[in-house]
Structure formats: C-alpha cells, structure tokens
Amino acid sequence: MCNLYANTTAQEAMRGLFKVAPGRDRLGNEQPRTAIWPKYDAPVVRLDENGDRELVLMKWGFLTPKTSAKTGEPLKPDAWNNARDDKLTGSGLWKSSFVARRCLVPVSAFREAKGRNPATDFWFGLAAAADDDRPPFAFAGLWRDGQPGIEGEEGSWLTHTVVTTVANELVKPVHPTRMPVILDPEDYDAWLTGTETVATKLLRPYPAEKMRILRQGVGITADKDP
C-alpha cells in the first residue's frame, strides 16, 4: 500500500503537463514536496464546475470516523489513502467519487517499504537517462469535498485518494500485491471525463520496463531535492 510519495515538479511544468490554464492554478506559490504523507496537502488536478481542469491542494486520504472500542469516545479519524481498483464500484466509500469525481495526482516518485525492524525503503519512478531526473507522471485518483461523520475542521477537508492495482514485475519483489495506477498522458482525459466502463479499462499495472528504482535503503522517507 502506497503511503508516501513525492512531487518535485515545478508549478509551471505541472500546468503544461496537465493542460491547466494559469488562471485555474489555485496552488499559490507551490514548492517542491519531497515527502507527501497521508492527511497532508498535495497538488491535485480535477475538473471544476465548468468541466475545465484546475490545480488545487487537497489532503491525502478520505476520512472515516473512528471510536475507541473500550470507551466509545471518538478517536482521530482513519485516512484511506488508497482505493483498490476492484472495490471502486462496490464500496460506498469510493463509488460516488469513481462515478463523478476522478482526478489526477501529480507525482515524481513513490515509496514502498519491504520488511520491518528495520524496513528497507524503495523509491520508484519513471525511466530516465540520468539518475537525478524525475520525469513527472500522474496517479489515477478520486476526490471528495467534506468528510461525512467527521466533526471539526477535518470534516470540511477537501481530500483525494490514490487508486491501486496489481503490482508489476518491478514493484512485486518489494510489495507483492499492489501498486498505484500510473496513467499515460494520453489517458488523462479519459480518466477525468470517461464513463465508468472507459475508466475501468485504465486500471492496470504500468509497464515495468518504463519504470526504475530511484533509491533504496533504510530510513529514506523523502526523495532528494530536484
């Protein structure tokens, strides 16, 4: 399960890649993010009420209420940062967003951990000529405005989640079962605007030969600066 990624792509480059007009860039003065954790802000591309693409900040992870099994008192809500591709139409947590609120999540690298005590961190990205290069790409994502059943400020959060699918041959030795859905640029429009049938066809593992391991080691919880 992916619970850490980076987006070090420059703001202007994001607008170009995702075809977002400057006037619909709502990020402000966005800085590179070498480590994005659940419940923290990250840039997301969605369609506005007119069907135009816009760049906005969203917290990572749909929130659901959680209570203490002993006392029944509310606890900090769970953040569902991944949505399985085989659960999108059957789960009430994901279904309405899959139907009407799909988004693109800009990424430059993502981490999966292997083992424990200590775990080894593996950072994955797209293939490139130079080790320091971080070609930008996008996860398939879902979003929602407001968190049902959550009180206080968190209840009004704008959030996104990352869709996952079966792991490819590069990711599988590290995380045997799942990886984020990486979309080809030519599929961005289909993911954002297509029917559920069209969108479902895009939920597949990204070709391993188009990816690489960027870094690996113990305690690497941020990708290096761009």
Side-chain angles (χ1 to χ4, degrees):
M1 183 172 67
C2 177
N3 62 7
L4 178 61
Y5 69 94
N7 177 33
T8 56
T9 306
Q11 195 166 345
E12 183 177 356
M14 278 194 285
R15 291 198 298 265
L17 175 63
F18 299 111
K19 299 180 181 177
V20 175
R24 296 189 180 93
D25 180 350
R26 324 291 186 193
L27 299 182
N29 186 20
E30 176 65 13
Q31 299 299 310
R33 297 175 185 262
T34 59
I36 298 170
W37 296 90
K39 295 189 179 182
Y40 284 85
D41 286 330
V44 172
V45 179
R46 68 171 180 180
L47 299 181
D48 67 13
E49 62 275 10
N50 297 317
D52 297 314
R53 296 186 190 185
E54 64 176 355
L55 268 165
V56 298
L57 288 177
M58 297 187 186
K59 305 284 188 183
W60 184 19
F62 286 14
L63 302 184
T64 57
K66 185 177 183 180
T67 57
S68 169
K70 291 183 178 180
T71 67
E73 293 296 315
L75 301 173
K76 294 293 287 182
D78 287 321
W80 298 86
N81 46 296
N82 292 162
R84 288 178 59 109
D85 58 349
D86 56 353
K87 304 291 186 182
L88 296 182
T89 58
S91 169
L93 184 59
W94 311 127
K95 186 174 181 179
S96 63
S97 291
F98 177 61
V99 171
R101 294 184 300 276
R102 294 180 223 125
C103 61
L104 306 173
V105 182
V107 186
S108 57
F110 68 95
R111 184 209 68 172
E112 299 287 1
K114 182 177 182 179
R116 57 180 64 183
N117 299 323
T120 301
D121 300 304
F122 291 79
W123 284 84
F124 296 91
L126 299 190
D131 289 344
D132 288 340
D133 288 348
R134 296 291 187 271
F137 57 99
F139 290 154
L142 312 174
W143 69 274
R144 71 179 186 181
D145 191 356
Q147 309 303 300
I150 306 296
E151 297 182 357
E153 179 187 354
E154 290 176 323
S156 64
W157 279 1
L158 188 65
T159 61
H160 70 285
T161 191
V162 172
V163 181
T164 66
T165 188
V166 294
N168 66 20
E169 294 305 312
L170 182 68
V171 176
K172 193 178 295 184
V174 178
H175 197 278
T177 57
R178 310 296 296 174
M179 69 174 289
V181 173
I182 297 173
L183 296 170
D184 284 316
E186 58 265 30
D187 293 328
Y188 291 168
D189 193 58
W191 177 251
L192 291 173
T193 66
T195 66
E196 297 98 282
T197 300
V198 168
T200 298
K201 291 179 180 179
L202 304 178
L203 301 176
R204 55 185 181 253
Y206 198 71
E209 63 271 16
K210 295 183 178 181
M211 295 178 61
R212 61 187 169 127
I213 295 174
L214 305 171
R215 310 175 70 195
Q216 66 183 79
V218 175
I220 307 178
T221 55
D223 195 22
K224 58 185 178 181
D225 293 335

